[in-house]
Amino acid sequence: MAALNILYDSPHYCLAEFAGVAGVELVDKHTRRNAFLEGRVAAHLRANVARLCAEDPEEDEVDEFLFTYDALLTNPIRMQ
């Protein structure tokens, strides 16, 4: 099983990457939807989150940025 690295975690969103996998998973905790993003979209998201976090933002600012990706979160999360 690949190692999991949490890039960002708040009450609203979680952004994670898996070792050896070229992509990131974004989860909206409130709507219980997620997406695995790859390629340019993943690279753009990583770069912008890194730049934003370097500015020591408030949690709401990061969540507001991640909300711009909400339309991509189409996979429902099912709890068993």
Side-chain angles (χ1 to χ4, degrees), residues 42-61:
H44 186 261
L45 177 58
R46 278 187 178 131
N48 283 322
V49 167
R51 188 184 77 247
L52 185 60
C53 288
E55 298 170 1
D56 196 28
E58 296 291 321
E59 186 176 273
D60 291 345
E61 293 175 85

Side-chain angles (χ1 to χ4, degrees), residues 14-53:
C14 183
L15 179 64
E17 64 183 358
F18 301 89
V21 178
V24 293
E25 181 176 23
L26 179 58
V27 175
D28 181 332
K29 295 177 182 179
H30 288 289
T31 63
R32 291 184 167 190
R33 294 179 299 142
N34 75 332
F36 185 77
L37 309 171
E38 299 178 275
R40 288 183 180 176
V41 174
H44 186 261
L45 177 58
R46 278 187 178 131
N48 283 322
V49 167
R51 188 184 77 247
L52 185 60
C53 288

Side-chain angles (χ1 to χ4, degrees), residues 57-69:
E58 296 291 321
E59 186 176 273
D60 291 345
E61 293 175 85
V62 179
D63 284 352
E64 185 176 310
F65 168 74
L66 292 175
F67 177 75
T68 64
Y69 286 83

